[in-house]
Amino acid sequence: MSEFLPQEVREEMARARKAQARKRTHMRVIAEGRDHAILRYWEGGFAVDAEAAAGLRGLVEIHDRGRLVCHALIMTTSEREGERVFEFKVTNPADRTGPAADFVRERSEPVGLLPRD
């Protein structure tokens, strides 16, 4: 049915669909200081607006409502209907205590306490 509509109307409808998808999403991908709204998200990857994510690749952060979900290494797999689809090569869930340490931390607290009798 959409092939009967003028090209301008079809383009405007596509822009309206993208805008509505951006408003509904609460997930974002952040890379190199730039963030992009995730339009669709699944276990193995996600999709973003193709125009906005032209140079997106490599190591990224995935956020859900401002909370860090994971760090991921991504690659582009396809582009269709105005969306660029990315798949995860590697994902590392976010650690609640901070970034991973590459050294052994000295423990300042006692390992165990003996009760007084």
Side-chain angles (χ1 to χ4, degrees), residues 77-98:
T77 57
S78 65
E79 186 174 331
R80 62 178 174 258
E81 298 177 10
E83 289 184 344
R84 181 164 288 160
V85 178
F86 294 90
E87 287 188 7
F88 297 128
K89 282 182 154 181
V90 177
T91 59
N92 295 320
D95 186 12
R96 303 274 184 230
T97 60

Side-chain angles (χ1 to χ4, degrees), residues 64-78:
D64 185 9
R65 293 187 173 101
R67 181 182 58 88
L68 179 64
V69 175
C70 69
H71 296 278
L73 186 60
I74 61 169
M75 64 180 192
T76 303
T77 57
S78 65

Side-chain angles (χ1 to χ4, degrees), residues 1 25 40 44 46 53 61 70 81:
M1 180 172 131
T25 187
R40 294 183 298 122
F46 61 93
E61 295 179 349
C70 69
E81 298 177 10

Side-chain angles (χ1 to χ4, degrees), residues 98-110:
D102 59 349
F103 56 90
V104 176
R105 293 188 176 148
E106 296 296 324
R107 297 183 76 169
S108 60
E109 70 275 358

Side-chain angles (χ1 to χ4, degrees), residues 6-69:
Q7 181 66 26
E8 297 83 23
V9 174
R10 285 186 284 181
E11 289 172 359
E12 187 60 35
M13 288 173 62
R15 279 193 293 276
R17 273 195 299 275
K18 283 184 189 178
Q20 182 149 358
R22 274 190 222 110
K23 287 180 184 177
R24 283 185 294 166
T25 187
H26 48 82
M27 296 192 75
R28 311 210 46 89
V29 59
I30 299 175
E32 299 176 358
R34 295 176 43 208
D35 67 335
H36 308 279
I38 295 176
L39 303 176
R40 294 183 298 122
Y41 182 83
W42 57 94
E43 187 176 326
F46 61 93
V48 296
D49 185 24
E51 295 172 7
L56 186 62
R57 66 173 181 248
L59 187 61
V60 298
E61 295 179 349
I62 306 294
H63 290 259
D64 185 9
R65 293 187 173 101
R67 181 182 58 88
L68 179 64
V69 175

